[in-house]
Amino acid sequence: MIKVVITAPRGNMDKLIVEAAAKREDIKIVGGVGTPGKNYIGKDIGTAAGLSEEVGALVYDDIEKIIDECDLVVDFSKVELSMEVLKACLKHKKAFICGTTGFNEEQTKALLAAGEEIPMMKAANTSYVVNVMRKLLGEAAAKLGSKCKIEIIEMHSETKLDAPSGTAIEMAEEMAERSPDKTYDDITFHSVRAGNTPSTHQVIFGCMGEKLEISHDAYDWRCYAEGACDAIEYMAGKGPGLYSMEDVIM
């Protein structure tokens, strides 16, 4: 049994993680963290997340009020809150799964460096299928990199703040690492923000006279929530280190 705190229980992702985690026998939600002043502070996290029944854990307005009760904090919120959570996890030596995107270079370095002190997973995309796709992209880039131009088209809802998406960035990093002659800067991004599109990533390997396309479409954000719960279960009992969804799918 791993005890978790989940931030931003009204968020698009976090409320689904609450829903999915509440159904897992080996995950126990011990509390949530929300923005001070919100009307769900002090209420059950199940109620705050819109579930039909209570979970038996309250939402707090300060992570310091609950962090000692958990083994791990799950955070898919905004950059500012994520950095606060990181500081608390380092202070209390708690495991941290961060699915927030949009960090600057300095913040990213801080998140990655945390693996030297605590169990740390930075995952821009927790979909099991997307992470399998990323490995396939690496294989394709290793064979086709010198023969093609690589472009990524990614679509998300109009409320997503960062562009390109963290997932697209991780895909590009994977391909640049595996390609014989491509660097990250050689890969072109196209970002679309419209409507309530959960997530689409299309990668085009454009060769002379032919092309290869590898794509993923998410039509229900629950795929990310289930993947996040897989990650929580994987992190149970882990020592300090930097982990990824690649470890989960292995």
Side-chain angles (χ1 to χ4, degrees), residues 47-209:
T47 301
L51 304 187
S52 59
E53 57 185 27
E54 295 186 348
V55 171
L58 301 180
V59 181
Y60 298 84
D61 59 4
D62 184 349
I63 193 170
E64 290 289 341
K65 296 178 180 179
I66 186 61
I67 193 168
D68 283 331
E69 303 300 318
C70 78
D71 304 308
L72 179 148
V73 180
V74 183
D75 174 67
F76 285 66
S77 60
K78 294 184 178 180
V79 169
E80 294 77 16
L81 177 57
S82 297
M83 297 311 293
E84 290 181 17
V85 172
L86 175 63
K87 291 178 182 178
C89 287
L90 287 169
K91 177 183 175 182
H92 295 267
K93 302 303 179 187
K94 301 296 183 179
F96 185 25
I97 295 177
C98 182
T100 305
T101 59
F103 297 103
N104 62 34
E105 184 176 351
E106 182 180 353
Q107 291 165 334
T108 298
K109 287 181 179 178
L111 286 161
L112 300 180
E116 298 175 6
E117 301 181 47
I118 60 173
M120 176 74 208
M121 179 181 291
K122 182 178 181 296
N125 193 308
T126 51
S127 160
Y128 192 98
V129 176
V130 162
N131 283 278
V132 171
M133 175 183 170
R134 194 175 75 171
K135 301 308 293 181
L136 294 175
L137 291 173
E139 290 293 321
K143 302 296 185 183
L144 299 175
S146 62
K147 299 179 179 294
C148 68
K149 183 180 181 187
I150 302 174
E151 305 212 4
I152 301 174
I153 304 170
E154 55 96 356
M155 299 178 61
H156 287 82
S157 69
E158 60 189 23
T159 59
K160 185 171 178 60
L161 299 178
D162 55 309
S165 69
T167 300
I169 290 171
E170 288 189 349
M171 288 177 173
E173 289 173 343
E174 179 79 19
M175 291 186 286
E177 182 179 340
R178 297 292 306 279
S179 174
D181 71 336
K182 292 286 189 297
T183 68
Y184 178 87
D185 292 334
D186 292 325
I187 298 172
T188 303
F189 295 92
H190 306 275
S191 298
V192 178
R193 299 288 177 266
N196 63 344
T197 305
S199 173
T200 292
H201 290 86
Q202 178 185 15
V203 181
I204 300 172
F205 296 85
C207 305
M208 295 302 296

